[in-house]
C-alpha cells in the first residue's frame, strides 16, 4: 500500500511573521524559529506529515510536500 | 490544487498581525472550498469592515468589501439575484453582532441560503481594542480599563433563537474541525452560522494578559470540549464546539421563486 513520506517543508520566509504557532503545535518538534524569527524545519527527519503546521499557519507560509512511497518494495517478513 | 490557487498572492504577506487567528480561518476556508471542488467563479465572498473583513481581499473569488455591519444585507441581494452562486459572509464579532446585529438575526429568520462565519476575537482589533458584544464580563479593553461590565452574546444561542438552520462553533486551534464545519456549512441549504474563536494577541491577549498566540491557542484547546462531552457536566465553564443545529426548513430563495411562479400563472 502506498504511504505518504515527507519530501520537504516549503517555508515562505517573506510571508512568515515569526508568531511561533507552527513550532508550538508540531507534535514531533520538527520546527524552530531561526535567528530572524522565521520558521525553519530543524529536524525534518522526525516529521510525520500530519500537516498541522501547514493547516494552522496564519500566514499561509508553510507547505508540507509529500511523496508516495511503495511499501511493497520493502522486504516483507 | 494548493492554497495558492485560491489567493491573490500580490497582496501577501497579509496585513494581519503576527499570530492573528484570522489567517488560520482563511487557511481553513480555502481548504474547505478546495475539498468541496467548488469553482472559484461560483463563489462570492461578502464582508463588512474590520480586520476580519479584509479576508475578502485575499481570496481569488468574486468579492465584495462593503460597509460596516451590512455584509449580510449585500449578501442577501447577491443571493436573491443569483441563487446558484455560493455566498460566504465572514464577519467579525463587532461587525456581525453589534453594528450588524439586526441584519444577522433577520438573515437567520429568513433562512436565506448564506454561509455566515463569525470570526470571534472578542475585540475591535482594527480600531484599537475596544470591547465588543462578545467580549464578556470582567474583560479588559481599551474602552474598559477597569473591567467590562457588559454581558456577552452567546452566538450559538442567538443564531438558534433567530432561526438559523445550521449552527456550529469551533476554534482556530482545531484546524481539521474548522475546515470540516465550513464545508458542512457551505453544503447546508439554509442560513448557516459557524462561530470561530480566533486569537487577537495584539489587543485582546495583551490587555487581558493571555500570553502570545501559541498560549492563546493552548487556552482554546483546554477551555473547549466537543458537544456532549461528559467533561462539560463536571465543569460548566467549558465551552462546547461542534454542530449544535442542523435542520431543514423552507429556504428563502426557493420560496421567492415559488411565489413568482404562482403569481405569474395567475
Amino acid at each position: 500500500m502506498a504511504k505518504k513520506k515527507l519530501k520537504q517543508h516549503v517555508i515562505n520566509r517573506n510571508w512568515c511573521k515569526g508568531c511561533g504557532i507552527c513550532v508550538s503545535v508540531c507534535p514531533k518538534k520538527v520546527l524552530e524559529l531561526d535567528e530572524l524569527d522565521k520558521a525553519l524545519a530543524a529536524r525534518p527527519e522526525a516529521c510525520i506529515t500530519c500537516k498541522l503546521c501547514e493547516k494552522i499557519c496564519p500566514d499561509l507560509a508553510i507547505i508540507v510536500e509529500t511523496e508516495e512511497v511503495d511499501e511493497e518494495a520493502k522486504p516483507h517478513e | 490544487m494548493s492554497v495558492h490557487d485560491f489567493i491573490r498572492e500580490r497582496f501577501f504577506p497579509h496585513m494581519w498581525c503576527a499570530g492573528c487567528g484570522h489567517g488560520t480561518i482563511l487557511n481553513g476556508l480555502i481548504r474547505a472550498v478546495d475539498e468541496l471542488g467548488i469553482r472559484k467563479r461560483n463563489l462570492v465572498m461578502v464582508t463588512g469592515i474590520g480586520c476580519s473583513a479584509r479576508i475578502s481581499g485575499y481570496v481569488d473569488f468574486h468579492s465584495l468589501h462593503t460597509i460596516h455591519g451590512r455584509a449580510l444585507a449585500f449578501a442577501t441581494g447577491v443571493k436573491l439575484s443569483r441563487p446558484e452562486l455560493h455566498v460566504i459572509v465572514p464577519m467579525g464579532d463587532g461587525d456581525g453582532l453589534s453594528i450588524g446585529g439586526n441584519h444577522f438575526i433577520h438573515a437567520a429568520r429568513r433562512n436565506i441560503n448564506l454561509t455566515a462565519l463569525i470570526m470571534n476575537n472578542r475585540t475591535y482589533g482594527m480600531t484599537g481594542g475596544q470591547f465588543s458584544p462578545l467580549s464578556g464580563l470582567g474583560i479588559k479593553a481599551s474602552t474598559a480599563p477597569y473591567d467590562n461590565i457588559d454581558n456577552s452574546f452567546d452566538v450559538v444561542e442567538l443564531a438558534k433563537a433567530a432561526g438559523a438552520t445550521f449552527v456550529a462553533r469551533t476554534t482556530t486551534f482545531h484546524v481539521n474541525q474548522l475546515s470540516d464545519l465550513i464545508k458542512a456549512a457551505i453544503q447546508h441549504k439554509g442560513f448557516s452560522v459557524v462561530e470561530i474563536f480566533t486569537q487577537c494577541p495584539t489587543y485582546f491577549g495583551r490587555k487581558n494578559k493571555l500570553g502570545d498566540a501559541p498560549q492563546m491557542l493552548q487556552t482554546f484547546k483546554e477551555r473547549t470540549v466537543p458537544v456532549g462531552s461528559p467533561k462539560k457536566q463536571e465543569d460548566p465553564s467549558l465551552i462546547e464546539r461542534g454542530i449544535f443545529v442542523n435542520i431543514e426548513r423552507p429556504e428563502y430563495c426557493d420560496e421567492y421563486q415559488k411565489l413568482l411562479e404562482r403569481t405569474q400563472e395567475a
Side-chain angles (χ1 to χ4, degrees):
Chain A
M1 205 189 85
K3 202 181 160 219
K4 290 253 164 59
K5 185 175 160 279
L6 177 74
K7 198 168 148 205
Q8 60 174 339
H9 295 87
V10 181
I11 296 170
N12 187 335
R13 292 174 58 84
N14 291 326
W15 292 8
C16 174
K17 294 187 184 126
C19 64
I21 290 176
C22 55
V23 178
S24 75
V25 299
C26 178
K28 294 290 173 187
K29 307 263 172 276
V30 170
L31 298 154
E32 273 179 14
L33 292 185
D34 67 12
E35 65 278 7
L36 292 172
D37 271 356
K38 303 283 182 187
L40 173 84
R43 285 171 290 279
E45 66 285 353
C47 179
I48 52 169
T49 69
C50 68
K51 299 199 178 188
L52 207 49
C53 55
E54 179 181 318
K55 292 174 185 176
I56 206 164
C57 176
D59 296 306
L60 311 183
I62 307 177
I63 294 171
V64 180
E65 285 186 356
T66 55
E67 56 192 354
E68 304 258 316
V69 284
D70 195 6
E71 284 198 302
E72 300 294 316
K74 285 181 188 169
H76 186 74
E77 284 181 328
Chain B
M1 285 230 265
S2 88
V3 163
H4 297 262
D5 297 321
F6 293 90
I7 58 176
R8 295 172 181 153
E9 291 203 39
R10 63 186 183 281
F11 297 133
F12 278 70
H14 57 57
M15 51 72 72
W16 292 314
C17 303
C20 172
H22 288 3
T24 307
I25 298 175
L26 172 64
N27 194 330
L29 176 83
I30 289 169
R31 279 186 288 118
V33 169
D34 187 15
E35 285 167 28
L36 285 174
I38 302 172
R39 297 182 71 172
K40 290 195 278 190
R41 66 175 190 193
N42 294 330
L43 256 173
V44 186
M45 188 179 273
V46 188
T47 59
I49 295 295
C51 294
S52 60
R54 297 294 292 261
I55 196 169
S56 62
Y58 297 125
V59 289
D60 196 23
F61 314 144
H62 299 293
S63 55
L64 283 125
H65 193 172
T66 69
I67 55 179
H68 206 2
R70 317 293 178 225
L72 280 170
F74 284 82
T76 300
V78 171
K79 189 69 188 177
L80 264 180
S81 59
R82 296 287 301 274
E84 73 279 11
L85 300 177
H86 293 274
V87 184
I88 304 176
V89 192
M91 293 171 285
D93 44 313
D95 185 47
L97 276 304
S98 184
I99 300 96
N102 248 310
H103 295 295
F104 182 79
I105 55 174
H106 290 288
R109 177 175 62 85
R110 288 185 181 126
N111 193 34
I112 184 161
N113 191 7
L114 302 172
T115 307
L117 308 177
I118 304 293
M119 301 161 76
N120 178 10
N121 59 10
R122 303 176 69 188
T123 191
Y124 290 93
M126 187 164 273
T127 48
Q130 293 82 359
F131 64 84
S132 86
L134 297 183
S135 294
L137 285 175
I139 286 303
K140 290 200 167 49
S142 60
T143 42
Y146 307 110
D147 285 2
N148 181 22
I149 55 167
D150 282 18
N151 285 302
S152 64
F153 275 136
D154 180 325
V155 177
V156 168
E157 294 301 326
L158 180 70
K160 250 194 229 178
T165 49
F166 182 96
V167 183
R169 177 194 283 141
T170 187
T171 83
T172 47
F173 178 81
H174 303 90
V175 283
N176 290 321
Q177 186 179 44
L178 171 65
S179 57
D180 287 348
L181 288 181
I182 295 175
K183 255 160 70 175
I186 293 173
Q187 285 176 305
H188 178 78
K189 190 162 174 116
F191 190 70
S192 45
V193 179
V194 184
E195 179 188 20
I196 307 155
F197 289 171
T198 166
Q199 71 277 13
C200 175
T202 306
Y203 286 109
F204 192 82
R206 188 163 51 87
K207 299 249 179 223
N208 292 287
K209 300 191 166 51
L210 299 175
D212 57 6
Q215 278 173 287
M216 292 180 83
L217 284 169
Q218 192 61 31
T219 310
F220 288 157
K221 182 189 176 186
E222 288 163 5
R223 301 302 305 159
T224 61
V225 286
V227 177
S229 166
K231 284 183 193 161
K232 173 81 179 166
Q233 263 93 54
E234 291 165 26
D235 182 0
S237 70
L238 292 173
I239 299 168
E240 289 180 300
R241 57 186 166 76
I243 298 173
F244 297 85
V245 177
N246 190 2
I247 53 170
E248 294 281 320
R249 269 207 299 126
E251 194 271 327
Y252 195 69
C253 298
D254 281 358
E255 294 305 304
Y256 183 66
Q257 192 56 40
K258 279 186 213 163
L259 185 72
L260 278 184
E261 284 164 15
R262 210 177 66 219
T263 48
Q264 279 164 357
E265 270 170 29

